């Protein structure tokens, strides 16, 4: 897949290199996760965690995954930051915002990782493969996996509330609220509950949409909004980014459903065909393969249109990530 994309807002601008942009931010995120997932805790946090728990936490987070959610945080932060006119003290503000955005990026990835650990357990989806390696409960046992997920969830909010006051208290609270709402009963956890209750049930397209909006879409949308919250955005930009996040979040799940029936386990890094085997409703089972693919492209169009309407001058990274979500092969 060609990762060089053109700006919708300025088609005659030089091509944006998504691969290079992603590599730079992924390096920052990986180094931060390596440092912060209990190996070297953030300032003011004294873990003293049992070695086996630490090992399971790091196994769940490090060395794997697309890191889509952290990248969305960083891309949204850049988009709103570059729309703010430079002025006295701007460099210092940007440095502080970068630290805030990096903490937000890692926090949302920790929530995502915890959800995967719990979702893979026998009481949920009972999967044995994740990110191309044995799932955490297979590697460490069910009790350790449960505790590792709990600890990763707690650590996410520790990252957002450092003691050094580098992040203003009002911004800390706003970020925590965005993340908690996306992860809770009105978001990811609620969607997972609906998913478990829907096994073998014929859902309508509307019901399927609602389930996946909660289970998958809310956290992806929150990633965008958390990135925007790390800078200073207009009401117009925030509303547009909210629409963008909603479209990308749903598109991710539509494509995930497609790949579950068209890709193999080695490519996906997780068990292929699992949804059909477990009689779970998916976009493919409800709409069919062709209509699901068309719907994913329709959602991509909605996402790109929202960026056009945002008034933000630099949305190339967000555009590139949206295209990657819909056109990915794993």
């Amino acid at each position: 897949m060609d990762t060089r994309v053109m700006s919708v807002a300025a088609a005659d601008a030089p091509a944006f290199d998504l691969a290079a942009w992603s590599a730079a931010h992924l390096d920052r995120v990986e180094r931060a996760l390596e440092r912060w997932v209990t190996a070297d805790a953030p300032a003011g946090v004294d873990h003293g965690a049992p070695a086996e728990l630490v090992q399971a936490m790091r196994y769940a987070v490090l060395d794997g995954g697309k890191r889509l959610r952290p990248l969305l945080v960083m891309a949204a932060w850049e988009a709103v930051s570059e729309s703010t006119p430079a002025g006295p003290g701007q460099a210092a503000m940007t440095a502080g915002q970068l630290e805030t955005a990096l903490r937000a990026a890692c926090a949302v990835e920790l929530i995502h990782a915890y959800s995967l650990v719990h979702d893979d357990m026998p009481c949920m989806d009972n999967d044995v493969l994740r990110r191309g390696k044995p799932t955490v409960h297979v590697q460490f046992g069910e009790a350790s996996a449960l505790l590792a997920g709990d600890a990763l969830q707690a650590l996410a909010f520790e990252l957002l509330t450092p003691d050094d006051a580098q992040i203003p208290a009002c911004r800390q609270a706003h970020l925590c609220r965005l993340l908690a709402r996306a992860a809770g009963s009105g978001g990811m956890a609620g969607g997972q509950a609906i998913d478990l209750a829907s096994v073998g049930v014929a859902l309508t397209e509307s019901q399927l949409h609602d389930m996946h909006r909660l289970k998958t879409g809310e956290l992806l949308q929150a990633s965008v909004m958390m990135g925007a919250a790390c800078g200073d955005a207009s009401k117009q930009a925030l509303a547009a980014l909210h629409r963008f996040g909603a479209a990308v979040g749903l598109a991710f799940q539509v494509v995930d459903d497609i790949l579950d029936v068209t890709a193999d386990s080695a490519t996906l890094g997780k068990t292929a065909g699992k949804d059909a085997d477990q009689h779970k409703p998916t976009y493919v089972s409800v709409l069919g393969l062709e209509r699901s693919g068309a719907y994913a492209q329709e959602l991509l169009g909605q996402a790109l249109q929202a960026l056009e309407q945002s008034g933000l001058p630099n949305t190339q990274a967000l555009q590139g990530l949206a295209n990657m979500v819909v056109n990915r092969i794993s």
Side-chain angles (χ1 to χ4, degrees):
M1 179 181 63
D2 187 1
T3 56
R4 300 181 69 86
V5 300
M6 294 295 291
S7 170
V8 172
D12 57 347
F16 173 75
D17 191 341
L18 179 65
W21 178 91
S22 297
H25 281 301
L26 285 172
D27 180 63
R28 289 190 181 96
V29 169
E30 293 303 321
R31 285 188 286 113
L33 288 171
E34 172 70 31
R35 185 170 72 252
W36 284 340
V37 182
T38 73
D40 181 15
V45 177
D46 180 17
H47 283 287
E52 184 176 351
L53 177 59
V54 171
Q55 188 180 2
M57 293 170 66
R58 291 172 66 82
Y59 181 89
V61 175
L62 304 178
D63 304 321
K66 303 175 185 66
R67 306 296 193 223
L68 172 61
R69 292 153 190 82
L71 290 176
L72 285 170
V73 172
M74 303 307 292
W77 166 68
E78 283 189 357
V80 300
S81 295
E82 295 197 12
S83 69
T84 304
Q90 182 73 18
M93 182 193 74
T94 301
Q97 287 184 358
L98 174 58
E99 171 73 9
T100 305
L102 187 57
R103 284 176 176 270
C106 290
V108 76
E109 184 65 13
L110 293 181
I111 291 292
H112 176 55
Y114 118 74
S115 75
L116 298 181
V117 174
H118 284 189
D119 287 358
D120 287 338
M121 292 182 66
C123 61
M124 294 282 193
D125 290 348
N126 194 22
D127 214 336
V128 297
L129 186 67
R130 174 70 67 178
R131 294 175 172 175
K133 60 185 182 181
T135 49
V136 177
H137 74 271
V138 170
Q139 191 76 9
F140 295 92
E142 291 182 37
S144 291
L146 181 65
L147 291 172
D150 291 343
L152 289 170
Q153 182 187 44
L155 181 58
F157 293 98
E158 290 185 62
L159 290 183
L160 295 176
T161 53
D163 289 336
D164 58 10
Q166 191 168 31
I167 307 176
C170 59
R171 184 162 284 170
Q172 291 184 22
H174 185 45
L175 289 168
C176 285
R177 185 171 187 267
L178 286 170
L179 188 55
R181 290 188 66 179
S185 59
M188 183 179 65
Q192 177 68 1
I194 297 172
D195 184 47
L196 292 171
S198 300
V199 174
V201 177
L203 297 184
T204 65
E205 183 179 347
S206 177
Q207 290 172 324
L208 185 68
H209 175 279
D210 290 343
M211 178 179 77
H212 286 316
R213 177 181 59 82
L214 298 179
K215 181 182 175 183
T216 304
E218 286 288 337
L219 192 59
L220 285 162
Q221 186 179 49
S223 301
V224 176
M225 301 313 293
M226 288 173 71
C230 294
D232 298 296
S234 67
K235 290 183 178 179
Q236 174 189 344
L238 287 174
L241 289 174
H242 194 268
R243 295 193 301 274
F244 169 84
V248 168
L250 191 55
F252 183 91
Q253 185 60 55
V254 175
V255 174
D256 221 43
D257 287 354
I258 292 170
L259 292 174
D260 190 64
V261 300
T262 61
D264 57 34
S265 298
T267 301
L268 293 177
K270 59 183 180 180
T271 307
K274 178 169 59 68
D275 291 336
D277 290 343
Q278 297 181 349
H279 306 289
K280 286 191 172 186
T282 67
Y283 276 99
V284 174
S285 69
V286 173
L287 300 181
L289 192 58
E290 185 175 349
R291 282 187 59 202
S292 294
Y295 186 39
Q297 293 297 326
E298 179 186 333
L299 289 166
L300 174 60
Q302 292 176 16
L304 297 180
Q305 183 181 44
L307 292 180
E308 286 189 74
Q309 297 167 346
S310 69
L312 297 171
N314 178 24
T315 60
Q316 294 100 319
L318 289 170
Q319 292 172 46
L321 291 173
N323 276 285
M324 182 187 73
V325 163
V326 172
N327 298 308
R328 74 190 195 276
I329 59 172
S330 65

